[in-house]
Amino acid sequence: MWQDETVQEALPGVAEASAPPTVAPSGSPFASPSVPDTLAGGELISHEHATSGTVKLVRLVDGSHVVRLENFDTSNGPDLRVWLTDAPVKEGMAGWRVFDDGEYVSLGRLKGNKGSQNYAVPEDVDLSRYSSVSIWCDRFDVSFGAAELAQV
């Protein structure tokens, strides 16, 4: 029997954002964002299991990146992972098994099947090569749900 596990994580760097930002002169090569910046995002669609929520690719104040799941909800399952992939998101059964056909980066085990969660993107990942996120079941090689990452 699978039990729901809710994880509620704040977006890293948001607490620091409440302090007054330091502003570099316009055009300065040292200018950096004082708050996290959403670079891309999309809505999750269901595949093998009902899945909903929002996915965001966020650049943090320190320059690192996270994939963030917000208002996330899916079924619990064995060996679920969060994958950054180059595969197109397809509706229905046609989209269930496409994410391991091309390139993908596993961002780790799914922390919980509900809530808002952050997954660190390794520094050496070329983000321009990836266009979607899948909640992937390694045990059964199937996507529970996925989202296209559209630039914002």
Side-chain angles (χ1 to χ4, degrees):
M1 182 167 129
W2 301 107
Q3 293 184 343
D4 289 335
E5 184 164 347
T6 301
V7 174
Q8 293 292 349
E9 293 181 323
L11 181 62
V14 171
E16 299 94 56
S18 61
T22 56
V23 179
S26 181
S28 167
F30 302 106
S32 64
S34 60
V35 295
D37 185 23
T38 300
L39 304 176
E43 292 293 319
L44 285 158
I45 66 165
S46 298
H47 281 146
E48 215 276 320
H49 290 266
T51 301
S52 62
T54 303
V55 175
K56 294 180 179 178
L57 175 61
V58 180
R59 181 177 50 226
L60 302 177
V61 174
D62 66 5
S64 64
H65 295 87
V66 296
V67 166
R68 180 163 173 79
L69 306 178
E70 291 184 340
N71 302 312
F72 176 63
D73 189 359
T74 193
S75 300
N76 208 333
D79 208 11
L80 296 178
R81 308 292 172 143
V82 177
W83 279 11
L84 191 58
T85 81
D86 67 351
V89 175
K90 298 178 183 179
E91 298 270 348
M93 290 182 69
W96 287 19
R97 300 184 188 276
V98 299
F99 298 99
D100 60 350
D101 293 346
E103 289 189 42
Y104 62 89
V105 175
S106 178
L107 303 181
R109 286 188 175 274
L110 189 67
K111 297 172 184 177
N113 65 307
K114 296 182 181 299
S116 295
Q117 307 157 30
N118 305 302
Y119 295 87
V121 177
E123 285 184 30
D124 62 345
V125 171
D126 178 357
L127 293 171
S128 69
R129 298 178 68 157
Y130 301 97
S131 59
S132 61
V133 171
S134 173
I135 307 305
W136 186 258
C137 179
D138 257 357
R139 183 169 182 190
F140 294 107
D141 293 326
V142 67
S143 175
F144 274 35
E148 287 283 349
L149 292 174
Q151 289 186 335
V152 294

